[in-house]
Amino acid sequence: MKPQMTLDDFRQSLTATEPPAGLSHALCAIWWDGKGDWTRAHESAQQDEGSDGSWVHAYLHRKEGDQSNAAYWYGRAGKPVCREPLDAEWLSIAADMLCDEQAQR
């Protein structure tokens, strides 16, 4: 069993060139966004057809300024449209998904 990755560990991993092994597509997507690579983040989010992938997809479209597309993806994720600052939402997504990933182990 892998040790739990904390949010701080996740943020520190952004200094690497590739995401940590074993992350879900949605967590990889938020990792790539943390690196400033929107395109790779979007590609990773599209590989996760579940609610986590939809949540990251919504965040990414909100970040690019496409509010109507973001609203669609928030609906698919079962989340309200986010109004908090983007960096705060990034932290919320990462923390929530890290917690969920640990619960599944």
Side-chain angles (χ1 to χ4, degrees):
M1 185 171 183
K2 283 181 166 179
Q4 181 173 355
M5 178 178 272
T6 66
L7 183 57
D8 284 340
D9 295 336
F10 185 76
R11 292 172 77 188
Q12 288 173 7
S13 77
L14 294 171
T15 60
T17 57
E18 294 290 325
L23 295 183
S24 66
H25 289 299
L27 263 173
C28 282
I30 207 72
W31 188 90
W32 283 115
D33 181 71
K35 295 281 286 181
D37 192 333
W38 189 94
T39 300
R40 284 183 90 170
H42 190 250
E43 289 168 357
S44 290
Q46 287 179 311
Q47 292 180 47
D48 183 331
E49 295 181 10
S51 60
D52 284 352
S54 294
W55 189 12
V56 177
H57 212 143
Y59 160 83
L60 291 169
H61 284 296
R62 184 169 85 96
K63 186 174 187 176
E64 78 169 341
D66 188 346
Q67 300 306 319
S68 63
N69 201 0
Y72 167 79
W73 287 103
Y74 282 115
R76 290 261 319 248
K79 303 276 184 190
V81 173
C82 187
R83 304 280 183 224
E84 65 185 343
L86 288 165
D87 59 340
E89 185 179 15
W90 187 95
L91 288 170
S92 294
I93 292 169
D96 187 78
M97 290 184 191
L98 286 167
C99 209
D100 285 352
E101 203 163 269
Q102 278 310 133
Q104 292 173 12
R105 291 180 190 211

